[in-house]
Amino acid sequence: MHIPFTKLHGNGNDFILIDETAGTVIPDEMKPGFAALYCDRRFGIGGDGVLFLLPSESADVRMRLFQQDESEAEMCGNGIRCLAKYAHDAGYVQETCTVETMAGTMPVSMGYDEEGEFWAEIEMVDPAYERSAIPAIGEGEYKEQIGPFTVYAANTGVPHAVIFVDDVSAIDVAAAAPQVRRHPSFAKGANVNFVEVTGEASIRIRTFERGVEGETESCGTGATASAAIAHRLGLVGAEVAVETNGGPLVITCGERTLMRGPAETVFSGVIEG
């Protein structure tokens, strides 16, 4: 076994990337187990998921993402930025490209700034608020009282629950999130975001991710859902600075929903055995 890989992160949301542009490296039936093994931070490489970069018949590149619980995620905003950085650095794409995901095809603009830092801006799928699109049981837009929390929800490629709190640092995410993440109203479960509005154009969030089954340093689709719902409720304007534990993102709400943020390569290596 000789498997090259690259480790990347977007605001601390970290991924192992396997390049399959030249052909299959990990057979499809082995991808879930591969993610479970190598995402482990003690016995593997460590990561929130494994990104597979593949050729696409309809876009410039294709992304698949498997998580440590062996599930395949529909898409991931931070993951797309990491995949775009790898594809850009490898010469597969230039300053713009399209990325095929299970949630649709995402246009991406990217490059390096004057300080040599990589950034990417993704045109996200339009947030869906109807329960049928999240998916959630019932009709109309989602708003439920779950335990002590008033919960809103949207699908920004994956389902996200959004809870507004006075102080996100005071929330025990590990204890509070699971009752929402697995609430029977969510047909496929949901990621859970605790959101503090910190200004007219800023929020701070903490996210418990489905599939990871724990809090992650950052979540691009969660930042998008949180900003979109906050804007929809009139709590912030159309351009929202989002502070995550791992760093900043900028979400623009409007005719197009945009997410802008960094991505970094951590190291590359080879799995041998």
Side-chain angles (χ1 to χ4, degrees):
M1 184 173 65
H2 184 87
I3 303 172
F5 71 89
T6 299
K7 178 77 178 287
L8 304 103
H9 79 86
N11 284 348
N13 196 190
D14 59 338
F15 304 93
I16 303 159
L17 186 144
I18 305 295
D19 186 342
E20 294 192 328
T21 55
T24 299
V25 176
I26 307 297
D28 284 354
E29 67 273 14
M30 295 179 66
K31 282 179 166 67
F34 180 89
L37 175 62
Y38 286 101
C39 284
D40 190 286
R41 298 188 185 278
R42 292 178 176 83
F43 299 101
I45 298 166
D48 291 325
V50 178
L51 300 169
F52 291 91
L53 174 63
L54 305 105
S56 171
E57 295 182 358
S58 60
D60 293 313
V61 292
R62 179 184 174 207
M63 182 181 89
R64 296 184 72 185
L65 168 59
F66 288 85
Q67 296 171 295
Q68 191 171 2
D69 70 348
E70 301 191 11
S71 64
E72 183 172 7
E74 294 91 335
M75 68 89 69
C76 171
N78 289 334
I80 290 179
R81 293 203 315 279
C82 290
L83 182 126
K85 183 181 190 301
Y86 177 91
H88 179 278
D89 292 350
Y92 298 150
V93 300
Q94 301 302 315
E95 283 69 33
T96 61
C97 74
T98 52
V99 180
E100 178 190 350
T101 75
M102 291 173 62
T105 298
M106 313 293 174
V108 181
S109 301
M110 73 199 92
Y112 286 86
D113 63 21
E114 294 178 354
E115 298 176 351
E117 300 295 326
F118 180 87
W119 60 269
E121 183 173 77
I122 303 163
E123 184 172 338
M124 305 289 283
V125 297
D126 291 331
Y129 303 100
E130 290 293 321
R131 289 174 182 255
S132 59
I134 290 172
I137 295 169
E139 297 180 357
E141 295 190 11
Y142 190 98
K143 183 180 179 182
E144 293 281 349
Q145 192 70 28
I146 301 176
F149 302 117
T150 300
V151 183
Y152 300 88
N155 189 308
T156 51
V158 290
H160 277 277
V162 173
I163 301 165
F164 293 95
V165 298
D166 293 332
D167 181 4
V168 291
S169 62
I171 300 295
D172 184 342
V173 172
Q179 64 176 320
V180 180
R181 180 259 182 269
R182 298 187 181 278
H183 193 267
S185 62
F186 290 112
K188 296 182 179 180
N191 301 278
V192 184
N193 304 273
F194 295 92
V195 183
E196 176 186 347
V197 178
T198 54
E200 294 181 354
S202 62
I203 61 176
R204 182 180 171 213
I205 73 169
R206 294 173 65 188
T207 304
F208 183 99
E209 287 202 54
R210 179 190 64 166
V212 177
E213 303 308 328
E215 183 177 4
T216 57
E217 291 299 296
S218 179
C219 176
T221 53
T224 303
S226 299
I229 290 176
H231 176 61
R232 194 173 181 84
L233 295 175
L235 302 176
V236 294
E239 185 168 294
V240 187
V242 182
E243 179 188 352
T244 73
N245 285 344
L249 293 168
V250 177
I251 308 298
T252 302
C253 307
E255 293 184 3
R256 297 187 303 159
T257 302
L258 305 174
M259 178 188 66
R260 181 183 174 103
E264 295 186 22
T265 301
V266 183
F267 60 86
S268 295
V270 176
I271 299 168
E272 295 183 342

